[in-house]
């Protein structure tokens, strides 16, 4: 039962947002006039007063109805006067109390006060367990909040009162004001402690959440403060250096306006400058925009070199830089002539195709020099990402424009010559097809408004001259090849290599190695030996390396105190400088033999001779093919056998040879893969020779595809094949009838040294190649092609 005991009159002080519990020491500040006067009155009358929490903390002059129904009588322990009218008070709560009657409202609150006692409860096991739980939970709370409240905790541990524990928890925790008032109004000690524990658990959960949020926000705030501090330092440094951002923005705008770009482009760039102004100093978005504008302004928007379109001047440059290649030069000069007659037409896109080292890249440089265009080279070998051509979106980290726009920036001209080197060696993967990205670049109808992914604005490529180089057309996609005009560069003849070495390579290497013409002399015989015995290639790269090796040897010999001041290298002393010969001179087989025929093959580095051997043994009609052959070559062998079986009687072969004889066809150099149809006539001739026992002329070589009806079909690579025949000492070459027109492209030196026999059927081939005798006379070369044969164009086809 609760009992109200009238204890007399005393001053009353209204508290805002604060509850004081019995037996708890609290300090607070007092500033209102009524509150100060109430304190002063209390100090005169026993230093006690009633502390009553008010309901609305915004009420500055509360009345009785504005106060809660219960408060705490407290003893004033200490009063400290601070600056101004603020007073700091230290009090200790004594007991709960109510206002029986408010006798005075001004100048301070004063009234009759009655104490309120707690409900009496019987001590039991449940109450003891509750007190233990309270002490444990409050200890956890202190650890969680890291509060230094050891004296309070000691008092709680030594107390056997549930009410005291509840009041201590309420007073010394972060429980909300309204919840504290509920605990103050609760007079049942056990229930009050249960309420306090429930509220303390909620408070602990709240503290945990606040701690988690605090840790997260603290990290971001620290990072922001650090960034802000560094930015302010950078700003101060810029101010000391006299760098003004506003002037920088104005300079960017001035540069954009001076370029006199299209309205669409100019508006976009000015918008980007405006956006960059709004970015905070050092922001990532500002850095992206700054880099973007720098890249755009570095492009040669209105810069052009004055093109020199003069066919005669271009001819002089090409002749000076390159020996031979007459057809290639003529085709390039034709392009320049069209440009001279119709300068408004877009430049043609040329693709130079040929073996390595024949001068494709150097011709492009010569064209640029002849036209007075700046030059930029794009090496496309191994490129397999579309973004390498088109660029990356600028939103990506590390984004950059594609190779086309980068090359234009490097050339510093909007009408350069761009060399697309090794265009046949591009690859594709999941990141796209770079050859597809080149379609727009190389299309004269579209590239006047080319959009790079990084720039996102159109750039005119119609004034750019594109020249591509490739070793083969097989790996270039058809749509891309359709946009280019192909000019083929064949292999150099030995005589052309000799002239190139004398006029270009040797002077170049002498200058590079610090030698004078009087100090090192390489005779023509020595250069020919290098060509035939130390290099086997279509171009002249290895030849240049060997000449460089001779120059290095000469430098060493001259520096080591050689008695001679002049070194002469010829065919007889070449091994002294270059070592033993890597390739022995090719020779034809010794004498005419049965079943051994010389064929001709084309490779990526030039032409080669290809011997075919056939043995015939007693057996059951098996055909054995060896020598690392491809499917097409195997099919050619079977086609030859079918022709022989169908014409066995005419050829003088037993009609049942395919039942009683085994035929083994072998191609030497078995480690080298071989394929293609052009060895068909060679295999057929070797089979007929072996089956009839007729010898084959050793000075004859042949090439041509065979059909099962005995027709000789055209082949490709005739120029390279005939040069290989000449190197091997061949005197007569059998070619398909349809390849007569290709003789026009063969070097005059080769044409004069060889006899060419055209054959339309296998029978004509056999008449020339086999040592048949008719009335004791060997058949003459009835089908020999006269030297004045005219023809043009090389028929494309699958080459062996």
């Amino acid at each position: 039962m609760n009992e109200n005991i009238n204890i007399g009159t005393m001053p009353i002080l209204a508290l805002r947002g604060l509850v004081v519990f019995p037996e708890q020491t609290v300090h607070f500040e007092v500033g209102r006039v009524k509150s100060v006067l109430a304190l002063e009155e209390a100090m005169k009358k026993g230093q006690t007063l009633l502390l009553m929490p008010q309901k609305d903390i915004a009420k500055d002059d509360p009345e009785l109805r504005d106060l809660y129904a219960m408060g705490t009588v407290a003893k004033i322990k200490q009063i400290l006067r601070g600056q101004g009218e603020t007073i700091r008070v230290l009090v200790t709560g004594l007991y709960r109390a109510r206002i029986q009657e408010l006798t005075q409202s001004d100048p301070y609150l004063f009234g009759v006060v009655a104490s309120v006692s707690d409900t009496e409860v019987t001590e039991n096991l449940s109450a003891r367990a509750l007190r233990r739980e309270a002490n444990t939970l409050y200890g956890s709370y202190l650890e969680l909040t890291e509060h230094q409240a050891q004296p309070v905790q000691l008092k709680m541990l030594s107390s056997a009162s549930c009410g005291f524990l509840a009041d201590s928890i309420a007073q010394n925790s972060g429980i909300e004001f309204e919840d504290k008032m509920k605990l103050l109004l609760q007079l049942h000690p056990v229930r009050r402690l249960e309420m306090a524990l429930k509220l303390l658990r909620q408070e602990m959960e709240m503290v945990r959440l606040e701690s988690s949020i605090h840790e997260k926000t603290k990290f971001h705030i620290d990072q922001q403060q650090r960034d802000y501090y560094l930015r302010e330092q950078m700003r101060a440094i810029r101010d000391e250096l006299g760098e003004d951002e506003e002037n920088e923005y104005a300079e960017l705008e001035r540069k954009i306006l001076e370029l006199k770009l299209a309205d669409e482009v100019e508006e976009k760039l000015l918008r980007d400058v405006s956006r960059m102004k709004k970015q905070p100093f050092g922001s990532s978005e500002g850095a992206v925009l700054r880099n973007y504008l720098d890249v755009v302004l570095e492009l040669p928007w209105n810069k052009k070199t004055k093109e020199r379109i003069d066919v005669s001047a271009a001819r002089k440059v090409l002749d000076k830089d390159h020996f031979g290649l007459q057809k290639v030069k003529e085709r390039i000069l034709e392009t320049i002539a069209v440009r001279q007659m119709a300068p408004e037409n877009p430049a043609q896109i040329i693709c130079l195709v040929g073996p390595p080292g024949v001068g494709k890249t150097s011709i492009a440089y010569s064209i640029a020099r002849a036209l007075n265009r700046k030059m930029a080279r794009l090496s496309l070998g191994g490129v397999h990402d579309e973004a390498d051509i088109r660029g990356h979106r600028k939103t990506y980290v590390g984004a950059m424009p594609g190779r086309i726009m980068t090359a234009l920036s490097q050339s510093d001209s909007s009408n350069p010559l761009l060399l697309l080197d090794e265009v046949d060696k591009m690859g594709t993967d999941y990141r796209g097809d770079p050859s597809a990205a080149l379609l727009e670049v190389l299309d004269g109808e579209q590239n006047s408004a080319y959009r790079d992914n990084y720039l996102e604005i159109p750039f005119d490529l119609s004034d750019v001259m594109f020249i591509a180089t490739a070793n083969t057309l097989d790996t270039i996609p058809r749509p891309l090849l359709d946009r280019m005009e192909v000019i083929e560069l064949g292999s150099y003849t030995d005589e052309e290599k000799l002239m190139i070495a004398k006029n270009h390579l040797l002077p170049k290497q002498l200058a590079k190695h610090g030698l004078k013409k009087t100090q090192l002399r390489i005779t023509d015989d020595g250069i020919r030996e290098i060509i035939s015995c130390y290099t086997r290639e279509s171009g002249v790269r290895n030849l240049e390396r060997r000449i460089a090796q001779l120059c290095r040897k000469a430098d060493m010999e001259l520096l080591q105190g050689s008695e001679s001041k002049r070194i002469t290298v010829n065919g007889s002393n070449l091994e002294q400088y270059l070592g033993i010969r890597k390739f022995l001179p090719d020779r034809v087989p010794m004498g005419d033999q049965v079943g051994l025929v010389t064929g001709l093959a084309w490779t990526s580095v030039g032409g080669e001779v290809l011997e075919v051997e056939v043995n015939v043994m007693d057996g059951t009609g098996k055909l054995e093919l060896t020598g690392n052959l491809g499917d097409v070559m195997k099919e050619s062998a079977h086609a030859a056998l079918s022709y022989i079986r169908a014409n066995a009687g005419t050829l003088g072969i037993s009609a049942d040879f395919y039942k009683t004889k085994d035929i083994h066809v072998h191609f030497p150099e078995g480690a080298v893969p071989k394929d293609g149809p052009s060895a068909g006539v060679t295999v057929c001739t070797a089979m007929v020779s072996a089956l009839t026992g007729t010898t084959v002329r050793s000075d004859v070589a042949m090439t041509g595809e065979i059909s099962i009806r005995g027709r000789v079909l055209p082949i490709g690579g005739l120029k390279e094949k005939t040069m290989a025949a000449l190197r091997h000492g061949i005197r007569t070459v059998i070619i398909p009838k349809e390849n007569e027109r290709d003789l026009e492209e063969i070097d005059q030196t080769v044409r004069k040294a060889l006899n060419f026999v055209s054959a339309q059927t296998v029978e004509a081939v056999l008449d020339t190649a086999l040592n048949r005798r008719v009335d004791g006379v060997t058949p003459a070369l009835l089908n020999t092609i006269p030297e004045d044969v005219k023809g043009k164009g090389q028929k494309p086809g699958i080459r062996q």
Side-chain angles (χ1 to χ4, degrees):
M1 178 179 178
N2 305 113
E3 184 178 355
N4 296 340
I5 301 174
N6 195 339
I7 58 173
T9 60
M10 63 178 64
I12 301 170
L13 192 152
L15 298 177
R16 292 194 288 191
L18 177 65
V19 180
V20 178
F21 287 85
E23 300 182 67
Q24 306 298 320
T25 299
V26 182
H27 59 83
F28 55 89
E29 291 182 349
V30 176
R32 289 184 289 188
V33 175
K34 279 189 175 184
S35 300
V36 173
L37 294 175
L39 278 175
E40 293 175 348
E41 181 65 21
M43 292 299 292
K44 298 175 183 177
K45 297 182 178 181
Q47 298 182 352
T48 58
L49 76 167
L50 177 61
L51 302 177
M52 292 293 291
Q54 66 183 64
K55 297 175 182 178
D56 185 4
I57 62 175
K59 191 80 171 178
D60 195 56
D61 187 11
E63 299 177 359
L64 181 61
R65 64 175 178 272
D66 297 322
L67 304 176
Y68 279 99
M70 189 176 293
T72 304
V73 175
K75 181 81 171 179
I76 300 174
K77 295 290 186 180
Q78 188 180 28
I79 292 180
L80 294 174
R81 291 187 178 274
Q83 294 180 352
E85 299 179 354
T86 303
I87 298 175
R88 193 164 187 82
V89 184
L90 180 67
V91 301
T92 299
L94 299 177
Y95 47 83
R96 286 173 170 79
R98 301 179 189 274
I99 300 175
Q100 289 290 94
E101 181 183 356
L102 187 64
T103 60
Q104 177 182 315
S105 297
D106 289 311
Y108 55 87
L109 298 177
F110 194 86
V112 178
V113 177
S115 66
V116 180
S117 60
D118 284 345
T119 304
E120 294 183 1
V121 294
T122 305
E123 178 70 14
N124 55 30
L125 193 61
S126 176
R128 292 176 60 187
L130 194 61
R131 289 197 300 272
R132 181 180 294 179
E133 173 66 18
N135 285 311
T136 303
L137 190 63
Y138 188 69
S140 300
Y141 173 77
L142 293 178
E143 291 179 1
L144 184 64
T145 56
E146 300 180 356
H147 283 177
Q148 299 296 327
Q150 188 175 5
V152 176
Q153 192 175 15
L154 290 175
K155 289 181 180 180
M156 291 175 61
L157 289 171
S158 61
S159 175
S161 169
C162 292
F164 174 76
L165 290 179
D167 292 345
S168 297
I169 290 173
Q171 191 71 73
N172 297 283
S173 67
I175 296 174
E176 296 290 336
F177 171 74
E178 289 79 5
D179 294 327
K180 288 184 177 182
M181 277 307 306
K182 292 177 182 178
L183 291 173
L184 185 66
L185 293 171
Q186 177 58 253
L187 299 177
H188 193 287
V190 176
R191 293 174 186 169
R192 188 159 73 236
L193 185 55
E194 290 175 346
M195 287 175 59
L197 292 180
K198 180 180 178 182
L199 293 172
L200 185 60
R201 288 191 181 94
Q202 293 177 356
E203 178 65 16
M204 291 176 67
E205 186 63 30
M206 185 70 69
V207 170
R208 290 191 185 96
L209 289 174
E210 287 178 350
S211 177
S212 175
I213 295 171
H214 175 73
E215 289 297 326
K216 292 179 181 177
T217 54
K218 182 176 181 299
F219 173 79
H220 293 296
I221 291 173
D222 290 346
Q223 185 68 28
Q224 290 174 358
Q225 289 177 340
R226 173 182 173 275
D227 293 346
Y228 175 77
Y229 176 71
L230 293 175
R231 291 191 193 107
E232 288 302 315
Q233 280 191 325
M234 292 176 65
R235 193 186 301 274
I237 293 171
R238 292 171 69 93
D239 291 341
E240 288 295 326
L241 294 174
E243 296 179 0
D244 189 355
E245 286 189 7
E246 292 300 324
N247 290 339
E248 187 176 341
Y249 298 141
E251 180 69 14
L252 287 173
E253 291 176 345
R254 183 187 63 79
K255 288 181 178 179
I256 292 170
L257 293 174
E258 285 180 353
L259 291 176
K260 300 187 183 305
L261 304 174
D263 293 342
E264 171 195 357
V265 178
E266 187 175 282
E267 289 176 8
K268 181 186 183 307
L269 296 181
L270 292 175
R271 281 199 308 270
D272 287 337
V273 174
S274 178
R275 285 175 55 201
M276 190 170 69
K277 289 181 183 178
K278 299 175 183 177
Q279 300 299 320
F281 183 79
S283 70
S284 59
E285 178 68 15
V288 169
L289 288 171
R290 187 179 300 273
N291 291 336
Y292 170 74
L293 291 170
D294 287 342
V295 170
V296 172
L297 294 176
E298 285 176 1
L299 289 174
W301 289 97
N302 297 314
K303 295 181 182 179
K304 289 186 179 181
T305 56
K306 186 176 181 181
E307 191 174 17
R308 182 177 61 233
I309 306 176
D310 187 339
V311 174
S312 59
R315 187 188 299 276
K316 291 179 181 178
V317 172
L318 292 175
D319 288 340
K320 180 181 178 182
D321 293 347
H322 297 86
F323 178 82
L325 303 175
Q326 294 303 321
K327 290 189 175 297
V328 177
K329 291 178 184 177
E330 286 298 324
R331 181 63 191 87
I332 293 170
L333 292 173
E334 289 170 6
T335 301
I336 297 174
V338 172
R339 186 79 175 163
Q340 187 172 352
M341 296 296 292
E344 69 281 356
N345 290 344
Q348 290 181 309
I349 299 162
I350 297 172
C351 181
L352 302 175
V353 181
V358 295
K360 300 183 294 296
T361 304
S362 61
I363 284 178
Y365 279 95
S366 297
I367 295 173
R369 196 157 63 88
L371 296 177
N372 193 36
R373 286 182 181 238
K374 292 188 176 181
M375 175 81 177
R377 176 175 172 268
L378 288 76
S379 181
L380 300 180
V383 172
H384 47 72
D385 187 355
E386 179 188 358
D388 279 347
I389 305 299
R390 285 188 174 276
H392 303 79
R393 302 288 179 189
K394 66 174 180 287
T395 52
Y396 294 114
V397 176
M400 61 183 69
R403 296 196 179 201
I404 300 295
M405 305 312 297
T406 303
L408 283 173
S409 296
Q410 292 171 351
S411 66
D412 198 31
S413 170
S414 62
N415 66 335
L417 187 150
L418 293 189
L419 175 62
L420 308 178
D421 213 4
E422 310 293 352
V423 74
D424 59 322
K425 295 177 179 60
M426 291 187 294
T428 60
D429 62 9
Y430 65 93
R431 288 172 289 187
D433 184 358
S435 63
L438 280 176
L439 294 178
E440 181 185 359
V441 176
L442 300 181
D443 192 337
E445 301 296 327
Q446 302 180 43
N447 62 10
S448 59
Y450 173 70
R451 287 179 183 266
D452 186 272
N453 287 338
Y454 182 82
L455 301 179
E456 298 177 342
I457 52 178
F459 192 94
D460 188 1
L461 298 179
S462 60
D463 290 331
V464 179
M465 183 174 185
F466 293 96
I467 294 183
T469 69
N471 295 129
T472 178
L473 299 177
D474 298 337
T475 55
I476 302 178
R478 290 295 116 183
L480 180 60
L481 191 61
D482 183 58
R483 283 165 167 76
M484 302 184 292
E485 181 161 357
V486 177
I487 299 178
E488 292 196 8
L489 283 75
S491 304
Y492 290 121
T493 64
D494 289 353
E495 289 302 314
E496 287 176 333
K497 290 180 182 180
L498 173 64
M499 298 305 298
I500 292 171
K502 288 174 62 177
N503 300 331
H504 298 278
L505 303 184
L506 184 56
K508 175 183 174 182
Q509 291 302 323
L510 288 175
K512 186 180 290 187
H513 291 82
L515 293 169
K516 299 178 181 178
K517 292 182 179 180
T518 56
Q519 292 176 306
L520 175 63
R521 176 175 175 268
I522 306 177
T523 64
D524 291 357
D525 181 53
I527 296 175
R528 285 193 175 94
E529 284 293 312
I530 297 173
I531 294 170
S532 60
C533 299
Y534 290 90
T535 64
R536 282 213 176 157
E537 56 179 343
S538 299
V540 291
R541 281 185 184 157
N542 286 327
L543 177 59
E544 185 173 10
R545 292 190 186 103
R546 294 302 178 186
I547 294 174
Q549 184 178 353
L550 287 175
C551 292
R552 292 195 299 270
K553 298 287 186 182
D555 282 341
M556 286 293 295
E557 190 170 325
L558 292 172
L559 292 174
Q560 288 175 353
S562 174
E563 295 180 0
S564 174
K565 299 299 182 182
R566 177 186 177 92
I567 299 173
T568 302
V569 179
N570 51 42
S572 60
N573 65 353
L574 194 59
E575 289 189 358
Q576 176 183 342
Y577 297 97
L578 298 183
I580 61 173
R581 288 167 167 75
K582 295 183 178 296
F583 308 102
L584 295 177
D586 297 313
R587 295 290 180 263
V588 295
M590 297 298 294
D592 301 343
Q593 300 184 34
V594 175
L596 178 61
V597 184
T598 302
L600 299 174
W602 179 92
T603 67
S604 60
V605 295
E608 295 288 344
V609 297
L610 187 68
E611 292 184 346
V612 180
E613 300 176 341
V614 176
N615 275 348
V616 177
M617 300 80 68
D618 292 335
T620 58
K622 294 179 181 179
L623 176 61
E624 186 75 20
L625 303 173
T626 57
N628 200 355
L629 310 183
D631 292 337
V632 176
M633 188 170 280
K634 291 178 181 179
E635 291 172 359
S636 296
H638 286 285
L641 183 60
S642 295
Y643 168 77
I644 295 171
R645 286 182 59 184
N647 298 274
T650 306
L651 298 173
I653 302 173
S654 173
D656 61 349
F657 76 94
Y658 64 92
K659 297 179 182 178
T660 60
K661 301 292 183 183
D662 288 345
I663 302 175
H664 185 177
V665 181
H666 177 67
F667 290 76
E669 299 184 18
V672 180
K674 308 171 189 69
D675 203 2
S678 64
V681 294
T682 311
V683 174
C684 182
T685 303
M687 285 184 178
V688 172
S689 171
L691 288 169
T692 61
T694 307
T695 58
V696 182
R697 291 175 54 191
S698 59
D699 62 341
V700 173
M702 61 189 69
T703 181
E705 181 180 352
I706 189 175
S707 74
I708 59 175
R709 305 299 297 270
R711 292 181 298 131
V712 179
L713 305 179
I715 45 82
L718 186 62
K719 178 180 178 181
E720 290 79 5
K721 292 178 179 179
T722 54
M723 285 192 288
L726 181 62
R727 285 199 305 269
H728 283 69
I730 301 296
R731 292 291 173 263
T732 301
V733 177
I734 303 174
I735 63 172
K737 181 77 173 176
E738 294 185 31
N739 283 110
E740 287 182 3
R741 60 183 183 275
D742 297 329
L743 294 176
E744 184 66 22
E745 297 185 0
I746 296 176
D747 187 81
Q748 291 293 331
T749 305
V750 178
R751 289 178 59 182
K752 291 177 180 178
L754 297 176
N755 291 322
F756 291 93
V757 177
S758 65
Q760 200 165 4
T761 63
V762 175
E763 187 61 33
V765 174
L766 297 176
D767 286 342
T768 303
L770 298 181
N771 285 315
R772 294 174 174 175
R773 293 193 172 269
V774 181
D775 296 330
V777 180
T778 302
L781 304 181
L782 301 177
N783 294 325
T784 300
I785 300 173
E787 292 184 4
D788 59 351
V789 143
K790 301 295 180 182
K792 59 181 178 179
Q794 180 172 341
K795 182 180 178 65
I798 301 175
R799 299 181 175 181
Q800 179 186 331

